[in-house]
Amino acid sequence: MPVRSTEWEGVYADGPWLLTRNLVPGAVVYGEGLVRGSDGEFRRWDANRSKLAAYLKRGGRVWPFRLRSSVLYLGAGSGTTASHVSDICADGIVTAVEISPRSFRDLLALAEKRPNLVPILGDAAKPEPYAGRLGSVDVVYQDVAQRDQEAIFLRNFELVRSGGTGFLMMKARSADISASPAKIFESTKRTLAEAGTEVIDFRNLEPFQADHGVLVVRKP
Ligand SMILES: C[S@@+](CC[C@H](N)C(=O)[O-])C[C@H]1O[C@@H](n2cnc3c(N)ncnc32)[C@H](O)[C@@H]1O
């Protein structure tokens, strides 16, 4: 039976599983299991498929996602993680940017059923086209697995309100194939701190996501 988390708003647990309440009852996004609870239907949130779920499984404690949060999600892919964020921020807005037309097609189909999910076919390295209509957001979540992931993140972090939060999912092998993940994570942390963000959490996402880490920062 799903039990509401006391630490993470909008997140539930059922034995070893994390869950979110399904915004579109009956609909499955990536083959995840559905669980019936006393107050609705829940979707299993797989930490091997979603880095945000892996962050929680690895003891992540910073949790800015609220029922009415506005989230800018960069590198949404087909919407696996974005769908869970859309469940959690059910009365908020999740603006999901994706550069690949193939993945965007899936994202678009997902958004047709989810009124709080706004898909944008675009390049997160060039935020100008969507920055204007977005205003400021509570959270930026980035998972683009690109060499220049730090620069992309800092450009988009300008769209976060003061006191807002940024999640940077770092793929070490994307940044530098020869350097050790620990060194890359450390150097990224320094770069973000030097750029004036306040680094408030870091988690290595092993064993759920090989060579991945997450940095969480706050805007002063
Ligand atoms: C690791 S996958 C994302 C998985 C997704 N975040 C999830 O958890 O469900 C990375 C995605 O980032 C997209 N991407 C890469 N560079 C991008 C950019 N500059 N702007 C927007 N999306 C980008 C890729 O096309 C790919 O779909």
Side-chain angles (χ1 to χ4, degrees), residues 51 73 75-77 80-81 97-100 103 122-125 143-144 146:
K51 288 160 206 131
Y73 191 125
T80 300
T81 300
V97 181
E98 173 53 48
I99 200 168
S100 148
S103 299
D123 181 355
D143 180 20
V144 297
Q146 288 294 311

Side-chain angles (χ1 to χ4, degrees), residues 55 62-63 164-166 197-203 215-219:
Y55 169 72
V62 179
W63 195 247
T165 312
T197 73
E198 189 189 335
V199 178
I200 50 177
D201 201 6
F202 165 77
R203 303 282 155 171
L215 267 177
V216 187
V217 301
R218 179 170 292 143
K219 187 139 181 181

Side-chain angles (χ1 to χ4, degrees), residues 36-70:
R36 184 137 286 290
S38 58
D39 55 344
E41 183 184 273
F42 296 79
R43 301 165 55 225
R44 282 185 172 161
W45 194 4
D46 188 344
N48 293 299
R49 302 283 303 275
S50 168
K51 288 160 206 131
L52 190 54
Y55 169 72
L56 295 181
K57 283 283 190 188
R58 293 293 278 114
R61 288 292 172 266
V62 179
W63 195 247
F65 300 95
R66 306 271 174 269
L67 186 65
R68 292 191 173 77
S69 294
S70 55

